Amino acid sequence: MASLSNCLRQNGNRYLGFQMFIDFHTHYDRQSPDRINLQTFHVTTALQEADLPLICSLGLHPWFVDESWEDAWQNLGALASLDKVVAIGECGLDRHIDLPIEVQTVIFQKHLELAESIRKPLVIHCVRAFAELIALKKSSKSSVPWIIHGFHKKMEVFQQLLKHDFYFSFGTAILSDRSPVIQAIANVPDGRFLLETDDRQDISIEQIYDRAATLRQVSLETLQTQLLETYYQLTRLS
Ligand SMILES: [Zn+2]
């Protein structure tokens, strides 16, 4: 978002007022004044506008899709245009579950058509289906950001996704010295990633930021400023 960049630059190195933590993907309500807490919901027929916090992300998670998913989908369509819904997902492809990949693909394609039509980014859950995901992105010619949440794979997968214009949300995997994702977080270009806690209640987003700042050899304040700018670029598309 140009106006935010200009504003930050005008303030030189003094980014006071912008020192926000952004938890880009969490399943918990952890609102606080210094935090953008993007809570994600698996949509059911029962979910209503009044159940949603100030900002959230909505989708049909492949783990929880059941035979009533088409009714849940109708509800998602009705809620997705609300201003408080800043992203669509998590949704995606998972080769570790019983739901046939063909059914998962149909449901995922509906998400990407919805995201495209209302100009909101896609938050993606992907397990052992990166080749299929890249093929779908190429064939869809989608123009909204595709963000892989909880990315923790090795450099080869990371580089493939980077080449195809994916974005990344890194979580608790970066806390481990042994994770192959250490190299990815150290090398991912500014503007192409965010951070998250996902389903971990025992980990704070502050811990993830501290670790990411160390691995990227930048100050916490610099990282906060960069990620705030990335967040606005990804979530304010029109
Ligand atoms: Zn999640």
Side-chain angles (χ1 to χ4, degrees):
M1 200 178 76
S3 57
L4 178 65
S5 319
N6 291 341
C7 179
L8 294 173
R9 279 185 202 111
Q10 279 164 17
N11 283 321
N13 291 323
R14 299 186 64 234
Y15 295 138
L16 293 174
F18 292 101
Q19 290 177 1
M20 259 312 169
F21 290 99
I22 303 162
D23 193 341
F24 189 68
H25 180 86
T26 171
H27 293 266
Y28 300 110
D29 179 1
R30 288 164 144 183
Q31 307 290 337
S32 88
D34 69 344
R35 185 175 309 168
I36 294 173
N37 193 74
L38 188 52
Q39 196 177 343
T40 182
F41 290 80
H42 170 73
V43 175
T44 62
T45 50
L47 190 71
Q48 298 177 10
E49 182 177 353
D51 302 326
L52 303 175
L54 280 178
I55 55 164
C56 60
S57 172
L58 302 183
L60 300 190
H61 192 305
W63 290 358
F64 308 120
V65 164
D66 60 21
E67 57 285 345
S68 70
W69 74 265
E70 283 172 304
D71 294 331
W73 179 263
Q74 294 293 324
N75 196 25
L76 172 56
L79 295 169
S81 299
L82 295 170
D83 284 344
K84 57 169 70 171
V85 179
V86 301
I88 299 303
E90 63 184 293
C91 54
L93 304 174
D94 189 328
R95 285 208 176 269
H96 271 173
I97 59 175
D98 290 338
L99 188 67
I101 199 77
E102 295 77 16
V103 176
Q104 296 186 44
T105 303
V106 167
I107 297 172
F108 178 66
Q109 275 177 317
K110 290 177 85 73
H111 283 84
L112 72 94
E113 283 160 21
L114 174 65
E116 198 70 39
S117 72
I118 57 174
R119 308 289 305 147
K120 294 186 182 181
L122 271 177
V123 179
I124 298 167
H125 165 106
C126 185
V127 177
R128 294 179 59 196
F130 288 105
E132 291 91 331
L133 193 64
I134 290 170
L136 279 167
K137 188 167 191 297
K138 278 164 81 174
S139 64
S140 74
K141 299 191 170 55
S142 169
S143 63
V144 298
W146 290 35
I147 306 149
I148 311 280
H149 106 79
F151 185 77
H152 62 279
K153 295 295 177 192
K154 58 188 182 196
M155 268 320 252
E156 288 81 353
V157 180
F158 168 71
Q159 276 161 343
Q160 277 287 312
L161 293 166
L162 195 62
K163 198 171 87 184
H164 288 97
D165 298 326
F166 282 85
Y167 294 79
F168 303 86
S169 179
F170 297 101
T172 54
I174 70 168
L175 299 176
S176 160
D177 286 328
R178 294 187 308 277
S179 171
V181 81
I182 297 296
Q183 255 193 303
I185 180 81
N187 290 289
V188 63
D190 292 336
R192 293 290 288 275
F193 75 102
L194 288 161
L195 299 171
E196 65 175 57
T197 58
D198 196 9
D199 58 356
R200 292 286 295 270
Q201 264 186 308
D202 57 325
I203 302 288
S204 70
I205 193 64
E206 288 83 352
Q207 282 172 271
I208 306 280
Y209 265 71
D210 278 338
R211 174 69 167 163
T214 302
L215 292 169
R216 292 179 64 73
Q217 300 183 302
V218 296
S219 70
L220 177 61
E221 292 73 21
T222 298
L223 182 66
Q224 284 178 304
T225 306
Q226 288 171 343
L227 297 196
L228 189 61
E229 194 165 344
T230 303
Y231 175 77
Y232 284 124
Q233 277 168 353
L234 294 185
T235 57
R236 294 184 182 171
L237 302 176
S238 52

